[in-house]
Amino acid sequence: MSDFSNIHVLPSDLQNQIAAGEVVERPSSVIKELIENSLDAKATEVHIEIDGGGQNRILVQDNGHGLEPDDLPKALTRHATSKIARIEDLNQLSSFGFRGEALPSIASVSRLTMGSIVPNQTEGFQVSLEFGKIVDQGPVPLRQGTYVTVRDLFRNTPARLKFLKKTATESKRCLDIVYKMGLAHLDCAFTLISNEKNTVSFPKDQSLEERLQHMWPGQITDKLRPVSSSNKDFHLSGVIGSPETAQGRADRIFFYVNTRPVQDKLLLAALRQAYSGSLLSREYPQAVLLLDIPPREADINVHPAKAEIRFRNEKDIFSFVHQGVKATLSSYQSSLSPLPAHEHFQSGNTERQNPRHTFQTFENISQPYLKETRAKSYSTPDNPSPLSETKGDNLQKEKISIQSSSKISSDSQNNISGLIYLGQVSYCYLLLKDQRQDLLLLDQHAAHERILYHLFKTTGEDGSQQLLALPMELYLHPAEQNRLEQITTFLRRLGFSFDFDQKSLMSVKAIPSALTWQQAKDFLKAALAEQISSMDDLWTLMACRQAIKAGQSLARDEALNLIETWIKTPERDYCPHGRPVSIRMTTSDLEKMFKRQS
Ligand code: ADP
Ligand code: MG
């Protein structure tokens, strides 16, 4: 039986270490707290240095208003804050900090030195601690602001040390947090030096787009659109990415509430719902959204690292953000390539309201992509065609043959393998009747997607390669360079051969046989932008792009030909994204609907 009689208050160093477990999980959380303190002190320049992923040393130095010498030891050793005095102050809060626990927590698990000077003083004051105990203090020459050095983080708490990842991973997290804070504070300059290498330099008063250009590939930043909307209480600003550059991971979505970075399911849902119809279910857009609301509208005191918040008025916030994003999306919707109806924005889908103007024959429908591919491949001298007759060409020929075989099926009237074609409805669904008198509805886009996917997959994945007459050169953004290192083996296995001696230039000497020059280039770009990470993803993407769209009228021959090919295709009941291709209604289903069955 355990003995509870010996209840005692924990010594303050132990209290601080326990608090540290919640506030400081890793070097990047230390950096976050220290940057927040600098911003709270109205700094316009924050300089950060890390060694060994932040485990060996972190320095955060600012030009803010500083601390009085007397306040320094207080701020470092006990829950002390200058930011609130009463609990009601939380409703008015405009600072990041308020609990007064960050500095003592960090100090309790490291060797920390903090120096600071207030304006109009000639000398600063400095305090040094070792694992929570003051070991030294005294004057220090300093011109402006505050610096904090944190060495040997978690050296006295081996259990926490074990949770840290490789130095490179921790460094990346530190970089990410500086980026994240930098995006919401454009009026502050940020520099980060990691292992003596200059990794971030954001000058003061850059635009959001300028900062993002350092973080994301040009392919994405070129297509960003500003978001701006306001009502009486709320203001939303920032940028969002084009649906065309959507990616498989949600790692380029940043939300801020009153400039505080937050992870919030409600905001994510509002964002994704605004894109609904223009993204596939597993895709995420890019977004940096800054929401400004009266402090009383949000409770920020629900998470130790303040990464989560609770809105008082969830419904209002949701619809405000949703509308704001939607307004931006619809402003450039016209410049987007048409998407299948079920993947379309709900409003303003002119294509569907006026489908006739996009009338194309089946042959034409699948051709533009090929023509465009060809035109691009041969038009400029830096776009050489592959050396030999390639499998890519075969692939295209096969695709064309889907179309020419229509002659045969059109002769056999409306009957294909026991299915009678009845017609097209809503410029999207093909109506069929089978031998059992069941009614079959076929989604024309999904069916064509499945056909193309199968074709690409069966002809494209043998790892054989074709040499290029001239190397294909791709200039790489720093984020893409990192990504390339991660996926090098994967790309080589697919049949790509390339060098990247100079890190910013990728020189491709051979590409997989199954791809045309342009397809290979598109693939590499998408893979480097983390939009796709396997050949399967590529086939799915290509199939989706090249398949006939909803909203396109199909002539009878074209429809019959599509159906005929679809019947021969394996796994034909679902498209590569997993949506149903066909829906069957039996006589009994119909009878139920008409209430003929008792
Ligand atoms: P909190 O930010 O929640 O108040 P901290 O432990 O992070 O708690 O900081 C304690 C106090 O130390 C702050 O309230 C502030 O008065 C002071 N302080 C910390 N960092 C700085 C800084 N960079 N410049 C000026 N004052 C600072
Ligand atoms: Mg703080």
Side-chain angles (χ1 to χ4, degrees):
M1 214 176 86
S2 54
D3 179 9
F4 291 111
S5 60
N6 185 16
I7 290 181
H8 58 277
V9 175
L10 292 173
S12 73
D13 52 345
L14 199 53
Q15 282 182 21
N16 284 333
Q17 281 186 22
I18 290 170
E22 298 185 341
V23 187
V24 270
E25 216 189 343
R26 47 187 4 111
S28 61
S29 31
V30 170
I31 291 179
K32 172 174 179 280
E33 293 293 336
L34 296 180
I35 295 179
E36 286 186 351
N37 281 349
S38 297
L39 294 169
D40 282 343
K42 306 278 176 280
T44 56
E45 284 168 26
V46 178
H47 173 78
I48 302 133
E49 292 179 15
I50 57 170
D51 291 330
Q55 261 182 82
N56 300 350
R57 185 181 70 109
I58 295 171
L59 164 74
V60 175
Q61 178 156 30
D62 67 50
N63 66 347
H65 59 51
L67 274 130
E68 294 285 353
D70 285 352
D71 288 338
L72 261 177
K74 273 193 253 167
L76 283 161
T77 50
R78 64 177 101 116
H79 285 206
T81 180
S82 56
K83 296 165 195 173
I84 58 168
R86 298 166 306 158
I87 193 71
E88 301 85 72
D89 292 349
L90 275 181
N91 293 334
Q92 312 292 327
L93 195 73
S94 60
S95 61
F96 285 108
F98 54 82
R99 296 189 194 130
E101 67 184 0
L103 286 178
S105 303
I106 299 166
S108 74
V109 289
S110 67
R111 296 192 162 89
L112 183 148
T113 299
M114 180 171 183
S116 191
I117 185 168
V118 288
N120 304 323
Q121 289 292 313
T122 48
E123 221 175 27
F125 195 76
Q126 171 182 290
V127 177
S128 298
L129 300 91
E130 292 203 347
F131 308 111
K133 303 248 174 350
I134 294 182
V135 292
D136 191 22
Q137 53 182 312
V140 68
L142 194 66
R143 282 227 324 275
Q144 199 186 15
T146 303
Y147 64 82
V148 178
T149 317
V150 177
R151 289 197 168 82
D152 299 333
L153 185 64
F154 300 138
R155 189 61 59 84
N156 61 332
T157 51
R160 295 220 76 78
L161 208 54
K162 272 214 307 260
F163 281 107
L164 295 186
K165 301 269 187 278
K166 283 189 309 207
T167 304
T169 313
E170 295 299 338
S171 300
K172 169 84 167 50
R173 292 199 169 148
C174 295
L175 173 71
D176 286 343
I177 201 78
V178 175
Y179 277 153
K180 193 187 260 184
M181 303 295 284
L183 292 182
H185 298 276
L186 303 171
D187 51 357
C188 184
F190 290 87
T191 43
L192 169 66
I193 308 220
S194 176
N195 281 339
E196 295 173 9
K197 270 204 337 241
N198 192 337
T199 347
V200 179
S201 69
F202 285 162
K204 195 164 141 43
D205 295 328
Q206 271 184 313
S207 69
L208 181 57
E209 284 84 348
E210 281 170 321
R211 290 196 173 175
L212 285 171
Q213 277 160 14
H214 286 268
M215 301 167 50
W216 295 349
Q219 217 192 352
I220 291 171
T221 51
D222 286 352
K223 296 202 178 89
L224 292 174
R225 298 292 201 284
V227 173
S228 173
S229 73
S230 295
N231 69 16
K232 190 164 86 2
D233 281 334
F234 306 155
H235 180 70
L236 183 70
S237 62
V239 293
I240 55 169
S242 161
E244 292 168 55
T245 59
Q247 52 184 73
R249 292 211 324 239
D251 59 352
R252 292 199 178 105
I253 297 178
F254 296 88
F255 295 121
Y256 301 85
V257 176
N258 298 341
T259 73
R260 193 187 285 286
V262 291
Q263 292 152 7
D264 187 73
K265 292 207 181 79
L266 182 88
L267 296 177
L268 185 62
L271 172 73
R272 293 202 77 196
Q273 192 161 320
Y275 275 84
S276 78
S278 59
L279 294 186
L280 304 173
S281 57
R282 60 196 178 103
E283 286 181 329
Y284 293 86
Q286 298 83 25
V288 178
L289 291 177
L290 297 114
L291 179 64
D292 285 308
I293 59 177
R296 67 183 140 77
E297 290 286 333
D299 185 357
I300 43 178
N301 198 16
V302 293
H303 186 271
K306 302 171 205 127
E308 285 165 22
I309 54 171
R310 193 171 297 140
F311 294 110
R312 304 228 189 278
N313 231 319
E314 298 197 332
K315 249 172 72 190
D316 291 356
I317 298 280
F318 182 92
S319 65
F320 176 72
V321 172
H322 179 245
Q323 294 301 323
V325 173
K326 236 179 149 149
T328 295
L329 276 174
S330 52
S331 73
Y332 70 96
Q333 189 199 328
S334 50
S335 65
L336 294 173
S337 50
L339 281 159
H342 55 278
E343 294 182 350
H344 240 294
F345 302 111
Q346 272 151 13
S347 63
N349 183 352
T350 48
E351 197 111 11
R352 301 215 66 201
Q353 285 147 11
N354 187 9
R356 278 285 151 195
H357 79 279
T358 60
F359 178 85
Q360 282 174 304
T361 64
F362 189 30
E363 192 140 344
N364 289 342
I365 291 162
S366 304
Q367 289 291 19
Y369 180 87
L370 300 183
K371 282 190 188 135
E372 200 186 289
T373 307
R374 294 279 170 190
K376 275 194 198 147
S377 305
Y378 297 112
S379 59
T380 53
D382 62 346
N383 275 359
S385 62
L387 270 180
S388 55
E389 156 86 0
T390 71
K391 221 166 163 193
D393 288 329
N394 298 340
L395 204 128
Q396 296 183 356
K397 274 181 206 141
E398 277 186 60
K399 202 159 96 195
I400 294 162
S401 78
I402 298 175
Q403 293 139 20
S404 48
S405 74
S406 67
K407 304 285 173 296
I408 310 156
S409 51
S410 64
D411 296 340
S412 54
Q413 297 187 328
N414 288 346
N415 190 330
I416 328 136
S417 319
L419 289 172
I420 312 280
Y421 175 61
L422 303 172
Q424 187 195 27
V425 285
S426 302
Y427 302 101
C428 181
Y429 307 104
L430 308 182
L431 236 62
L432 302 159
K433 181 174 75 169
D434 76 1
Q435 282 160 332
R436 291 191 313 211
Q437 296 290 309
D438 288 351
L439 187 63
L440 228 72
L441 282 154
L442 206 67
D443 179 320
Q444 65 190 35
H445 172 75
H448 197 198
E449 248 183 351
R450 172 51 77 188
I451 295 169
L452 293 177
Y453 172 85
H454 174 68
L455 180 65
F456 295 150
K457 197 170 163 61
T458 45
T459 52
E461 238 166 283
D462 60 358
S464 66
Q465 60 174 206
Q466 51 183 321
L467 292 174
L468 298 178
L470 288 172
M472 170 199 294
E473 300 200 322
L474 295 175
Y475 286 91
L476 303 180
H477 176 277
E480 292 171 334
Q481 292 166 23
N482 288 341
R483 172 77 174 157
L484 181 57
E485 282 174 20
Q486 288 165 10
I487 60 173
T488 294
T489 327
F490 160 67
L491 293 176
R492 299 229 151 102
R493 222 173 33 231
L494 294 180
F496 285 99
S497 289
F498 52 88
D499 303 328
F500 55 114
D501 303 337
Q502 297 157 276
K503 280 199 134 195
S504 58
L505 184 69
M506 178 181 185
S507 174
V508 184
K509 311 236 155 55
I511 60 177
S513 304
L515 302 182
T516 65
W517 194 92
Q518 187 62 41
Q519 284 168 342
K521 189 169 178 179
D522 288 348
F523 173 74
L524 287 174
K525 281 187 169 171
L528 289 169
E530 297 178 32
Q531 280 178 292
I532 51 178
S533 54
S534 67
M535 274 310 243
D536 211 53
D537 285 350
L538 173 69
W539 306 139
T540 307
L541 193 78
M542 272 168 52
C544 182
R545 289 214 184 129
Q546 297 178 44
I548 47 162
K549 308 289 184 250
Q552 290 178 328
S553 178
L554 291 194
R556 205 191 52 167
D557 279 5
E558 296 159 357
L560 288 174
N561 184 39
L562 178 69
I563 296 161
E564 187 179 12
T565 319
W566 173 71
I567 289 174
K568 292 183 213 137
T569 306
E571 296 176 84
R572 63 171 176 270
D573 288 334
Y574 289 90
C575 81
H577 305 109
R579 283 190 298 268
V581 169
S582 67
I583 289 175
R584 175 183 296 271
M585 286 184 202
T586 62
T587 309
S588 128
D589 292 335
L590 292 172
E591 282 175 346
K592 266 186 221 145
M593 281 190 252
F594 286 104
K595 304 211 183 296
R596 285 174 162 274
Q597 270 183 350
S598 46

